[in-house]
Amino acid sequence: MLYNPPSPLETRILSRRFGLPNSASLDTYLATDGYKAFKKALEMKPEDIIEEVKVSNLRGRGGAGFPVGMKWSFVPRNSPKPKYIVVNADESEPATCKDRLLMEYDPHQLIEGMLIAGLSVDARVGYIYVRGEYRYLIEILDKAIAEAYAKGYLGKNLLGSNFSFDAYTHTGAGAYECGEESALLESLEGKRGIPRIRPPFPAVVGAFQCPTILNNVESISAVPPIIRDGGAAFAALGVPKAGGTKLTCLTGHVNKPGVYELPLGFPVDKMINEVGGGIRSGKKLKAFIPGGSSCPVLTAAECEGLTMDYDAMAKKKTMLGSGGVVIMDEDTCMVKVALRIMRFYAHESCGWCIPCREGTAWIRKILTRFHDGMGRRDDINLLGDLAKNMLGRTFCPLGDAAALPTISIVEKFREEFEAHLDGKPCPYERELVTA
Amino acid sequence: MPASVKFTINDRQLEAPAGTLVIEAAKRHGIEIPSFCYYEGLALQAACRMCLVEIEKAPKLMVACTTPVAEGMVVRTETDQVRQARKSMLEFLLTNHPLDCPVCDKGGECELQDMVFRYGAGESRFTEQKIHVDEKQWSPVVFYDAPRCILCFRCVRICNEGMGVNALGVINRGAISEIAPNHGDHLECDECGMCIDICPVGALTSGTYRYKTRPWEMEHVGTICTHCSNGCKTTLGVRNEQIVRGNNRDRSGINGEFLCVKGRYGFDFQDHPDRLQSPLVRLEGKLEPVSWSKALEVVARKFQDVKGNSGVFGVIGSNHTTNEENYYLQKFARQVLRTNNIDHHRTGDIVTLLDAVSGNPAALATTRDLYEKKAVLVIGADLALEQPFLAFQIRANYRHHQAHVYVVTSKPVREDNYAAAFVRAEPGTELAAVESLREKLKGEPELVILYGDAIKGGAVRKLVEFAVSLGIAVRFVPLVDYSNSRGAADMGLLPDLLPGYKPLGLTGMTVAEMLPAEDLDLLWVVGANPLKSGKLRAKKAFVVVQELFLTETARIADVVLPAASAYEKNGTVTNVCGEVQRLQKAAQTMGAKPDMEIIGLIAKEMGAAPEMGPWLPDKVFEEIRRTVRGYDIPVEAIITGGAAQTMPVNGRIPIEVRADAIRSAHDNLFTSGTLGRYSKMLNSVLEKRLNRE
Amino acid sequence: MTFSPQLEARFEKLLTSYPPGRQRSAMVPMLLYAQDEVGSITEELVEEVARRVGVTPMQVEEVLSYYSMLHRKPLGKYHVQICTNISCLLTGGAELWQHACRKLALGHKEVTADGQISLEEVECIGACSWAPALQVNYDFHHNVTPEKLDQLLDSLRKAQ
């Protein structure tokens, strides 16, 4: 049972099996070209596997958008240390709910991706770090893993080769910061999810201090299609420098919220109005977040002519991010949005570094007071100032993730802040939301 | 030798070995980059972000504490952007940090105060509620105030990495993160107080020092701790002649940032109410207070009598008195009293070692060697408890240089946790256990061997033979117990050796022989307590005791002379590794006199002052430098507060050490002979620990 | 401490899932799975897990206090976690939260007197396109309306 109906405008590569009966089973997978890419990869040279991924222009689908093939090439394959594949299934970026579906409906695609990644750097063990709240997916993944072992797609000497691979699931327990690669690795080692000093990066010093490929679920899931049908084919689906498709999560004030697989470069207005069925209740678009709450917010005007692509978003001084799209209509209180977003980051800040720990807490307090009607005029500039003091100065990108949306909202929706001054009630609310 | 790298900081062309951190390179060239969490010798954190600097070609500000210098790197540390960043970090920090300065012990020596003064804003823009949590007490000494904590994690690192105790951790997340003790609401640890002194602010404060004074009201006197043999510098804070605290935040001294509970808190014996402040003379069976002139008169007359009748003297010296006092005492005994019955409570066999390694000038290790040499072997000693600074050096050696540590002890010790190999050996079987490590030890490029009192007499020779047979460079540390145990031996408080280990050619009585001697006429005890566990046979012997307290020995004495403690006089002491350092007088107890002055006054009373020479430490030290082998050290080194290496290894010492004369007291972190008994602080900690067991 | 055979089996599998000498990695999964069975992370459980993975109790405390899903006090048999983060906020999640609080007379992380239900206002649970959403223990409920919430809470009250 799918959570939302598919859209005819989708290009379903990674999600091709969504909706099939027993889509998660090995039989279904094998009947739909499953593990063919792995068989092909077994005959390829490791460098060629990596090259194919580079050719595909696949960029990290977790949020950072770093070219996946290049990341793989940083792993010192000849290191005497064992190497690992770690899948980041911590999916906690607000507005993001796509990795969930890939694991629920097509766990074998993920496993096959891990195998191919393993071949490219001679890694023999893989871990899928799943956020604690996704317990049902651990059961699904464990079942798929057991099936794979039973039928010889995991374990020793796979398909008669001398390549062996073991895969495990590992649960988190509620921490957004554990989606940050190095914090995830710390959590995997049984410690507090505090990021590591970088460099060195996980490719060289990763899981258990060994070289590691660490990628998002969607990134790894894209690997079997890339190897099976060729990197060029994948690249062609997208735009130059950003190949393939992206599972996009439409959320907020649209008529047809849902997860849709759209090619990179898909126009934003088509996405909102055709895929998403337009804004609810005939309202107008006020604000737009392209990829999770860590992105700067765009006004409706800024969305004109915009496409869902890493570089196009960067030009508009925001990010494609995780693909968690938030659509806000004209009745949305942007101050409340800013508050709720900062509340999230203050709650999730790991506490390691001063600017994030103290900055998120302070900004949250100001915004709470502001939304409650006790804001001062100076606070508006102070908010932007404090957020800028955090930007680029924190130990990990969480500080930036907290600062960027705040700065954008204060700059672009300043009049909404002014409307809350002098004890005036929130123009959009009758009830106050306790923060 | 790592390649040298050229770079620029603030337009100055500089050079440093490749791999040097920018913050370190800057410091070495006199450029200060502020930081809280960066602490030399401890794991890098990059948590406080105070050290953000501009590096050309970097897209954003970079932290100087984890960035190594690179060829051609251009660094700027004083641009507007950098200044603004520092200001903003401090502003963030002050949002939850309470303005406790008026009531906070750290005021006046607080790094946050200093930073805010130098780099911070004059006003706060924070008008919200601060997060408040009540202050907690974690141990008799350690208080933690979470709101003041800036979460620099120095305390956690020093406790875990530095001390290997692992008593502190971090709990919660985000702005409500806190430091936590290992037992929920209290600490079970060595009570060393390292966490308190390393804390840059007043989050961790000392229960013994709380609310007593302000740092600028104290005189800070750097002297050498009077407890164990490691020779740590402790800076005593003295206010109105009273020692109020001890610490080493200035990190001067061979001990760097290390100081144990005894060095830090074990000073309160100094003003214990039971301190002897008046000479006592036994009149009609009872010890009565008398004047100094009276007491000295009694003593001098008795000395003359015994000498005149060719009576038998017994002189027992101290493990705590200065080199000058030891030298002076043995000079008095030998030249004035004409006796060689002089000894002290020996806690380690130095003499056999010096003989066995004679001719090898590089056979003795320094405390620096313990940090630098690639392999260390510990035999028969629980270093963390008995020789804590030596343990710290070895642990740091392991942490920083991956040194190989080998342990041969009868019980588990902390060094096991990072030893390359450890062997449990019943007392008496240590050498066999050491032999079992032969192959491993042979593979080392060099070795330092520390041995306790389990290895003495012939066993020391066998140990040296073993070391020679390894075919590698080996250095030794003969472990001894007390602050000047080494100096006691170096200065000839021995019945068969003169200062500098010159053989006499004959031997007097040891302590073990004096006590049961029926014909002992006079027993003179200086800073020792032989009758704590021994019995004096000669009931008619006249006993003169120089001591701080009415110990078991003093209680039966005929004359008791109140002595000054090490914190109340000048002079030098020599640590277990032969490093000689100067004491500095910090306080004074009315009525007590330094032992050397007492001896000098007795000499004067006996008319022997001219031949004894002045009882001034500097003058006596000059004589020591001239006449004692190995003490020909550059005086400038110690005058400026440093340590100088003595090297008494210079030839055979053809005597047979009486192994039974050597016995370590195996004091641990909470005991320290007589001084420990009178330290309320150490006793309260000890009591708490015993109650827990 | 004794656990059910299934939990013991899970622990055993965990301890073999990581490289040699890396049993500490089992700590967070162990704590979470044990919490599901025991109800909360008790002192006893802390010591048990510490023993099994070879760390000190304090190291377990450090870790458990970091993760939001690990708690020391028992919550309800049915722990209702309502998301009010951005996508749920925009579609009525905050109103759902207030509705639940009023209906059960509970606040954040509070438990009904009979221990049956507890409430928590949570951060994004990953159901953003089907918001507003909530979890009851580990089960997802999507597109929750006030009516659906009422039905759900009523059924939880009576559930075994």
Side-chain angles (χ1 to χ4, degrees):
Chain A
M1 247 301 303
L2 292 177
Y3 296 120
N4 61 268
S7 164
L9 294 164
E10 289 181 72
T11 305
R12 304 183 69 197
I13 312 288
L14 275 68
S15 61
R16 59 183 276 198
R17 299 181 187 86
F18 289 17
L20 293 178
N22 299 319
S23 64
S25 79
L26 180 55
D27 288 335
T28 309
Y29 194 64
L30 289 170
T32 53
D33 302 317
Y35 289 108
K36 279 195 183 148
F38 175 54
K39 287 194 183 106
K40 192 171 170 188
L42 277 171
E43 308 302 320
M44 290 167 76
K45 289 215 263 302
E47 333 47 292
D48 293 338
I49 298 176
I50 295 179
E51 188 55 35
E52 201 67 36
V53 176
K54 279 188 178 168
V55 163
S56 75
N57 287 334
L58 172 68
R59 291 169 69 156
R61 298 287 196 247
F66 193 86
V68 174
M70 194 188 297
K71 205 176 187 190
W72 288 18
S73 72
F74 294 150
V75 174
R77 191 176 345 111
N78 297 321
S79 161
K81 290 186 175 166
K83 287 153 271 314
Y84 295 95
I85 308 297
V86 174
V87 178
N88 187 341
D90 192 60
E91 184 161 76
S92 305
E93 179 75 18
T96 317
C97 50
K98 57 165 177 91
D99 295 335
R100 205 180 135 181
L101 301 184
L102 286 166
M103 290 185 276
E104 182 169 351
Y105 299 132
D106 210 343
H108 281 284
Q109 182 171 243
L110 179 61
I111 294 171
E112 189 179 6
M114 290 168 74
L115 287 171
I116 297 170
L119 278 172
S120 78
V121 293
D122 197 27
R124 305 295 177 113
V125 181
Y127 294 94
I128 307 172
Y129 183 102
V130 184
R131 67 177 291 184
E133 296 83 345
Y134 283 0
R135 173 64 64 78
Y136 80 105
L137 291 174
I138 295 233
E139 321 292 1
I140 291 176
L141 287 165
D142 281 346
K143 188 165 168 215
I145 288 173
E147 274 188 314
Y149 272 106
K151 288 293 192 315
Y153 291 99
L154 279 173
K156 302 254 175 293
N157 303 112
L158 305 176
L159 306 185
S161 74
N162 58 11
F163 181 68
S164 307
F165 197 88
D166 285 315
Y168 304 97
T169 53
H170 176 102
T171 182
Y176 166 74
E177 179 62 14
C178 289
E180 195 283 325
E181 338 186 283
S182 62
L184 187 156
L185 294 173
E186 289 290 292
S187 183
L188 182 63
E189 290 186 19
K191 297 187 249 174
R192 293 160 63 85
I194 312 282
R196 296 175 177 173
I197 294 174
R198 286 144 293 141
F201 292 92
V204 181
V205 179
F208 314 112
Q209 315 300 316
C210 297
T212 302
I213 282 183
L214 199 162
N215 276 117
N216 172 263
V217 168
E218 190 182 351
S219 306
I220 300 290
S221 296
V223 172
I226 287 171
I227 297 299
R228 192 185 61 233
D229 300 329
F234 190 80
L237 292 169
V239 292
K241 298 213 253 167
T245 57
K246 175 99 192 60
L247 266 73
T248 311
C249 318
L250 294 188
T251 77
H253 296 149
V254 277
N255 283 313
K256 295 196 268 181
V259 177
Y260 305 101
E261 188 173 355
L262 305 172
L264 264 302
F266 200 89
V268 168
D269 68 324
K270 192 167 173 188
M271 181 180 75
I272 296 175
N273 294 313
E274 291 181 42
V275 181
I279 313 278
R280 287 186 327 194
S281 314
K283 300 277 182 180
K284 291 207 294 288
L285 177 69
K286 177 196 259 193
F288 175 81
I289 294 177
S293 66
S294 304
C295 307
V297 174
L298 295 177
T299 61
E302 287 176 305
C303 292
E304 279 167 39
L306 188 56
T307 57
M308 293 295 281
D309 141 42
Y310 298 96
D311 295 327
M313 288 296 171
K315 278 209 189 75
K316 276 283 196 295
K317 301 251 188 324
T318 183
M319 297 132 55
L320 188 62
S322 64
V325 172
V326 184
I327 292 154
M328 289 163 272
D329 72 17
E330 58 196 88
D331 291 337
T332 308
C333 173
M334 294 311 290
V335 177
K336 187 161 79 150
V337 167
L339 167 58
R340 189 58 184 85
I341 289 178
M342 189 51 75
R343 206 179 120 192
F344 170 69
Y345 290 109
H347 183 254
E348 300 295 335
S349 169
C350 76
W352 184 250
C353 76
I354 290 174
C356 172
R357 176 178 84 229
E358 308 292 344
T360 54
W362 189 359
I363 295 176
R364 180 213 164 138
K365 285 177 179 164
I366 298 173
L367 285 167
T368 305
R369 180 168 51 80
F370 212 97
H371 192 261
D372 284 350
M374 294 180 293
R376 294 185 285 272
R377 189 161 291 276
D378 288 344
D379 288 333
I380 305 176
N381 287 339
L382 180 60
L383 284 168
D385 213 29
L386 294 179
K388 289 201 189 99
N389 284 342
M390 285 170 63
L391 198 57
R393 296 181 184 167
T394 52
F395 187 63
C396 87
L398 194 150
D400 297 335
L404 288 168
T406 311
I407 294 170
S408 67
I409 294 175
V410 169
E411 274 174 7
K412 299 176 187 180
F413 297 96
R414 194 189 175 94
E415 67 286 355
E416 297 216 13
F417 284 87
E418 287 171 350
H420 282 78
L421 289 174
D422 305 319
K424 294 202 282 284
C426 174
Y428 303 100
E429 311 244 313
R430 277 157 298 134
E431 262 180 86
L432 288 172
V433 177
T434 45
Chain B
M1 186 56 205
S4 205
V5 155
K6 289 196 180 62
F7 53 95
T8 316
I9 302 184
N10 300 341
D11 297 323
R12 281 171 59 184
Q13 312 269 26
L14 302 170
E15 212 171 311
T20 309
L21 298 167
V22 171
I23 196 172
E24 272 301 311
K27 197 200 290 192
R28 284 181 213 170
H29 290 98
I31 301 170
E32 190 199 345
I33 298 177
S35 75
F36 288 117
C37 67
Y38 173 73
Y39 199 90
E40 216 183 319
L42 297 177
L44 300 178
Q45 309 274 275
C48 72
R49 319 306 285 177
M50 280 300 293
C51 66
L52 287 168
V53 291
E54 271 183 35
I55 298 184
E56 227 171 72
K57 299 204 202 117
K60 50 183 189 171
L61 295 175
M62 306 287 283
V63 286
C65 65
T66 56
T67 309
V69 292
E71 185 70 33
M73 186 184 263
V74 178
V75 181
R76 292 190 208 287
T77 71
E78 295 297 331
T79 63
D80 286 340
Q81 195 192 16
V82 170
R83 292 217 183 107
Q84 195 277 336
R86 285 177 192 157
K87 202 168 170 186
S88 69
M89 292 306 139
L90 289 168
E91 183 180 35
F92 281 134
L93 204 48
L94 289 172
T95 58
N96 281 312
H97 188 92
L99 288 184
D100 276 358
C101 300
V103 299
C104 172
D105 280 344
K106 210 62 160 203
E109 48 184 21
C110 168
E111 289 181 48
L112 180 59
Q113 276 183 340
D114 292 344
M115 292 268 206
V116 173
F117 193 74
R118 230 176 288 172
Y119 305 112
E123 278 178 21
S124 169
R125 299 186 286 180
F126 183 80
T127 54
E128 322 300 327
Q129 282 268 45
K130 288 182 189 268
I131 299 172
H132 176 78
V133 189
D134 286 339
E135 191 182 30
K136 306 179 186 46
Q137 181 172 12
W138 286 343
S139 85
V141 184
V142 184
F143 282 75
Y144 177 67
D145 192 310
R148 291 182 194 166
C149 179
I150 63 170
L151 293 168
C152 67
F153 311 114
R154 285 189 196 173
C155 55
V156 176
R157 285 177 283 157
I158 197 70
C159 185
N160 297 357
E161 300 165 34
M163 298 300 287
V165 171
N166 300 302
L168 291 174
V170 188
I171 55 164
N172 301 340
R173 191 170 83 189
I176 54 168
S177 297
E178 272 183 38
I179 309 296
N182 57 349
H183 280 254
D185 60 352
H186 68 275
L187 278 170
E188 282 184 18
C189 66
D190 289 348
E191 309 277 354
C192 65
M194 298 280 283
C195 55
I196 294 173
D197 279 347
I198 212 174
C199 179
V201 298
L204 287 167
T205 50
S206 157
T208 64
Y209 170 68
R210 265 161 106 65
Y211 306 142
K212 282 209 174 129
T213 182
R214 285 297 189 186
W216 59 84
E217 290 175 348
M218 290 187 285
E219 238 188 276
H220 304 275
V221 182
T223 187
I224 307 301
C225 172
T226 186
H227 294 286
C228 85
S229 68
N230 293 177
C232 298
K233 167 82 67 70
T234 177
T235 302
L236 300 175
V238 186
R239 182 177 178 223
N240 296 337
E241 302 278 297
Q242 195 197 10
I243 303 177
V244 171
R245 74 168 185 196
N247 70 20
N248 68 330
R249 288 189 80 222
D250 60 5
R251 291 191 262 170
S252 63
I254 57 174
N255 45 318
E257 67 253 342
F258 173 82
L259 199 57
C260 80
V261 58
K262 290 193 277 194
R264 201 172 257 108
Y265 301 115
F267 55 79
D268 59 338
F269 64 83
Q270 188 260 339
D271 62 358
H272 194 283
D274 291 355
R275 275 294 293 277
L276 296 169
Q277 292 190 258
S278 162
L280 303 168
V281 168
R282 194 169 293 278
L283 301 168
E284 269 145 56
K286 267 186 70 204
L287 283 173
E288 301 289 348
V290 299
S291 67
W292 270 101
S293 51
K294 174 76 181 167
L296 290 168
E297 192 201 331
V298 169
V299 172
R301 199 171 345 108
K302 194 67 193 181
F303 278 15
Q304 300 280 40
D305 284 347
V306 173
K307 192 174 158 186
N309 296 333
S310 302
V312 179
F313 284 101
V315 181
I316 301 180
S318 172
N319 276 286
H320 285 297
T321 46
T322 63
N323 290 324
E324 293 80 353
E325 287 166 341
N326 297 345
Y327 182 86
Y328 211 68
L329 179 63
Q330 64 83 37
K331 185 176 178 181
F332 188 101
R334 293 185 158 118
Q335 282 183 220
V336 180
L337 301 182
R338 303 284 158 92
T339 180
N340 282 305
N341 298 340
I342 176 161
D343 194 8
H344 67 283
H345 169 202
R346 290 179 250 171
T347 56
D349 192 349
I350 308 169
V351 176
T352 313
L353 178 72
L354 292 180
D355 183 36
V357 300
S358 73
N360 179 359
L364 300 181
T366 63
T367 50
R368 184 118 197 120
D369 287 336
L370 294 175
Y371 176 66
E372 286 176 348
K373 296 298 175 199
K374 299 202 167 46
V376 176
L377 166 64
V378 181
I379 309 174
D382 188 340
L383 289 185
L385 295 186
E386 299 171 14
Q387 312 276 352
F389 173 50
L390 305 189
F392 183 84
Q393 289 291 80
I394 293 171
R395 195 179 314 109
N397 193 359
Y398 167 75
R399 271 194 301 124
H400 295 161
H401 311 135
Q402 290 76 50
H404 292 167
V405 178
Y406 299 93
V407 175
V408 170
T409 54
S410 57
K411 292 206 267 289
V413 290
R414 258 185 231 163
E415 282 67 34
D416 295 347
N417 292 332
Y418 51 91
F422 61 87
V423 183
R424 292 286 94 89
E426 286 304 304
T429 68
E430 292 87 357
L431 287 177
V434 170
E435 178 63 45
S436 75
L437 293 171
R438 177 182 283 276
E439 284 314 304
K440 287 202 166 74
L441 295 174
K442 253 176 89 164
E444 299 293 348
E446 56 195 359
L447 183 65
V448 176
I449 301 182
L450 301 90
Y451 64 89
D453 70 336
I455 310 284
K456 51 195 177 186
V460 176
R461 290 190 201 286
K462 291 213 183 70
L463 181 61
V464 175
E465 275 166 27
F466 172 83
V468 169
S469 78
L470 293 176
I472 61 176
V474 180
R475 295 185 178 206
F476 294 88
V477 179
L479 296 174
V480 290
D481 284 5
Y482 296 110
S483 61
N484 205 20
S485 292
R486 181 65 182 263
D490 289 354
M491 294 301 133
L493 288 183
L494 295 164
D496 46 8
L497 292 171
L498 290 172
Y501 301 96
K502 288 212 193 84
L504 265 175
L506 52 93
T507 180
M509 285 198 280
T510 63
V511 172
E513 289 166 329
M514 289 179 213
L515 293 187
E518 282 173 343
D519 56 348
L520 193 68
D521 292 306
L522 190 137
L523 181 66
W524 185 16
V525 180
V526 177
N529 193 11
L531 302 184
K532 176 157 189 273
S533 47
K535 278 198 144 26
L536 182 61
R537 184 86 178 278
K539 292 292 174 228
K540 298 250 176 65
F542 192 86
V543 181
V544 178
V545 173
Q546 290 175 217
E547 187 48 90
L548 275 66
F549 297 101
L550 208 58
T551 60
E552 288 82 347
T553 309
R555 225 162 270 154
I556 61 100
D558 294 290
V559 180
V560 181
L561 301 167
S565 72
Y567 294 152
E568 297 162 320
K569 58 191 174 186
N570 295 321
T572 62
V573 290
T574 307
N575 79 356
V576 63
C577 291
E579 289 156 304
V580 65
Q581 300 176 91
R582 261 186 162 197
L583 298 178
Q584 206 156 282
K585 178 174 170 174
Q588 193 158 280
T589 294
M590 287 285 287
K593 290 185 188 295
D595 288 292
M596 190 151 78
E597 190 181 337
I598 299 175
I599 301 168
L601 289 171
I602 298 173
K604 177 159 172 251
E605 196 70 25
M606 290 174 70
E611 72 179 292
M612 280 300 298
W615 56 81
L616 297 169
D618 288 343
K619 284 269 177 287
V620 178
F621 194 67
E622 264 173 47
E623 193 177 328
I624 291 173
R625 280 187 68 230
R626 267 200 327 272
T627 63
V628 178
R629 270 196 312 204
Y631 272 75
D632 180 19
I633 53 109
V635 160
E636 315 80 65
I638 63 169
I639 281 182
T640 49
Q645 191 62 37
T646 61
M647 220 32 114
V649 181
N650 212 345
R652 298 299 311 274
I653 308 172
I655 58 148
E656 207 52 50
V657 165
R658 304 265 296 285
D660 60 344
I662 295 172
R663 188 185 33 89
S664 166
H666 286 290
D667 272 319
N668 60 34
L669 291 171
F670 311 99
T671 62
S672 180
T674 304
L675 299 176
R677 287 154 68 190
Y678 287 91
S679 164
K680 288 202 181 111
M681 182 38 233
L682 289 178
N683 286 330
S684 79
V685 170
L686 188 55
E687 211 182 289
K688 255 209 149 56
R689 292 174 79 86
L690 292 173
N691 285 342
R692 277 202 295 262
E693 273 148 34
Chain C
M1 237 179 134
T2 44
F3 303 109
S4 68
Q6 298 92 314
L7 189 54
E8 283 291 356
R10 216 161 192 176
F11 283 175
E12 223 188 285
K13 175 151 199 289
L14 274 175
L15 287 169
T16 58
S17 301
Y18 307 100
R22 293 287 186 169
Q23 315 86 273
R24 185 175 172 155
S25 293
M27 199 203 295
V28 171
M30 247 191 209
L31 284 169
L32 192 58
Y33 296 144
Q35 180 180 267
D36 291 339
E37 190 167 289
V38 175
S40 64
I41 314 280
T42 57
E43 284 268 349
E44 210 193 340
L45 183 54
V46 168
E47 291 183 17
E48 181 68 29
V49 171
R51 203 178 46 80
R52 289 190 190 220
V53 301
V55 298
T56 62
M58 183 178 75
Q59 285 169 306
V60 176
E61 297 278 352
E62 285 187 297
V63 164
L64 96 88
S65 64
Y66 175 90
Y67 293 94
S68 310
M69 291 174 76
L70 299 174
H71 42 83
R72 275 175 230 262
K73 290 212 266 284
L75 292 170
K77 187 151 176 249
Y78 297 100
H79 183 50
V80 177
Q81 303 142 79
I82 300 178
C83 175
T84 58
N85 206 316
I86 184 75
S87 304
C88 292
L89 182 77
L90 292 170
T91 49
E95 287 74 15
L96 280 180
W97 167 250
Q98 286 177 335
H99 184 96
C101 289
R102 270 197 301 265
K103 186 178 168 92
L104 297 172
L106 290 179
H108 178 64
K109 288 205 184 154
E110 288 176 2
V111 193
T112 53
D114 60 1
Q116 183 77 347
I117 305 178
S118 52
L119 281 183
E120 188 179 352
E121 188 185 358
V122 293
E123 301 296 341
C124 180
I125 51 177
C128 325
S129 290
W130 317 292
L134 58 87
Q135 276 188 295
V136 179
N137 297 341
Y138 292 103
D139 299 329
F140 278 89
H141 293 257
H142 299 134
N143 301 309
V144 181
T145 61
E147 297 74 40
K148 277 197 194 160
L149 179 61
D150 273 331
Q151 278 168 12
L152 173 65
L153 292 177
D154 289 336
S155 74
L156 289 179
R157 270 186 175 142
K158 298 191 221 105
Q160 291 308 95

